[in-house]
Amino acid sequence: MTRRERQELIDKGHLLPLMEEFYTIQGEGFHKGTAAYFVRIGGCDVGCHWCDVKESWLAELHPPTATEKIVENAVNYSDTIVVTGGEPLTWDMGPLTEQLKAKGVQTHIETSGAYKLTGEWDWICLSPKKVKLPKEEIYEKAHELKCIVYNKDDLRFAEEQASKVNENCILYLQPEWSKRDKMMPLIVNYVMANPKWKVSLQTHKYLNIP
Ligand code: SF4
């Protein structure tokens, strides 16, 4: 395959820079506690300073992998596939999700929403970032809004984002892992005073699983 042909397949979403894939328990948000197969796609230029997967940022470091291969492997493990990153919407998620849906599995995405929404999703977890705001289209479609709280101002940002999502969207505040001891009391008080929000914890990190 020539370089150009390969780039075309990447541009069309038939090849995706696969960073890692693993079967585990979804630790966060609405589906926490559910066994799921995670597909982590490389590439992200959002640039959150507290990002815990900075190794994902450079797409070139992760091998362009055929979606057929990703699907074939994933469906052996679970009927819930969580596509995460990196920022998966850097790429066209159409081919991957079409093939997953053809196999009858549930497709979930974890995204900052910073890029055009592509793909067919049963569950969209929108985790907006101040440094690169979501595209407007995703607020209507998100099933859960997961706001990461690194400092007090993130509560203000969370409210701003909550005012944009659809009325069925479930609202979560989740402490950024390195700040959890400091932010947790703040979040607990905030959720009790504003019960439209729920607390989300990174339970997989407490369980010491991926
Ligand atoms: Fe990291 Fe996600 Fe932020 Fe990208 S959007 S920098 S992967 S936390």
Side-chain angles (χ1 to χ4, degrees):
M1 191 189 306
T2 65
R3 208 189 218 176
R4 193 170 161 184
E5 284 166 343
R6 198 164 78 147
Q7 191 55 49
E8 264 175 32
L9 289 173
I10 293 172
D11 292 344
K12 290 181 176 161
H14 293 288
L15 288 176
L16 295 169
L18 179 64
M19 179 177 163
E20 57 177 349
E21 45 185 346
F22 47 92
Y23 185 44
T24 189
I25 304 292
Q26 167 61 283
E28 309 176 3
F30 183 78
H31 292 283
K32 66 186 166 298
T34 304
Y37 195 75
F38 277 67
V39 174
R40 190 184 300 286
I41 307 292
C44 183
D45 70 353
V46 175
C48 310
H49 63 92
W50 44 259
C51 178
D52 59 358
V53 277
K54 290 193 168 115
E55 325 80 77
S56 70
W57 289 6
L58 275 184
E60 299 73 35
L61 298 182
H62 308 293
T65 306
T67 51
E68 289 82 1
K69 200 174 156 200
I70 298 173
V71 171
E72 192 185 304
N73 195 31
V75 299
N76 283 331
Y77 287 88
S78 182
D79 55 12
T80 301
I81 313 299
V82 180
V83 180
T84 186
E87 172 44 71
L89 293 181
T90 306
W91 316 101
D92 184 348
M93 288 287 120
L96 177 67
T97 54
E98 268 162 40
Q99 290 162 29
L100 287 169
K101 293 310 297 169
K103 297 279 185 186
V105 298
Q106 295 285 301
T107 55
H108 296 193
I109 185 171
E110 306 203 332
T111 177
S112 67
Y115 293 100
K116 184 176 183 292
L117 180 63
T118 52
E120 288 175 45
W121 302 105
D122 295 298
W123 194 265
I124 297 174
C125 171
L126 172 63
S127 187
K129 305 298 182 320
K130 280 179 193 163
V131 284
K132 212 172 179 89
L133 292 173
K135 297 270 177 221
E136 286 298 317
E137 59 184 4
I138 203 167
Y139 292 113
E140 253 312 293
K141 300 201 169 135
H143 298 89
E144 69 180 295
L145 176 72
K146 186 173 70 190
C147 294
I148 310 303
V149 183
Y150 180 86
N151 58 32
K152 209 175 164 191
D153 185 62
D154 289 330
L155 295 172
R156 177 203 57 77
F157 178 65
E159 284 298 348
E160 188 184 294
Q161 293 299 300
S163 72
K164 298 184 145 216
V165 292
N166 62 81
E167 58 180 5
N168 297 319
C169 188
I170 306 167
L171 308 179
Y172 288 105
L173 295 174
Q174 177 175 297
E176 193 278 323
W177 182 249
S178 70
K179 294 278 179 186
R180 64 191 183 282
D181 291 343
K182 206 167 166 202
M183 289 302 123
M184 213 49 237
L186 207 75
I187 292 175
V188 166
N189 285 336
Y190 194 84
V191 169
M192 286 194 292
N194 303 276
K196 69 179 182 189
W197 291 97
K198 295 175 189 294
V199 176
S200 173
L201 296 176
Q202 292 183 295
T203 54
H204 55 295
K205 293 193 178 177
Y206 290 100
L207 292 170
N208 213 12
I209 56 174

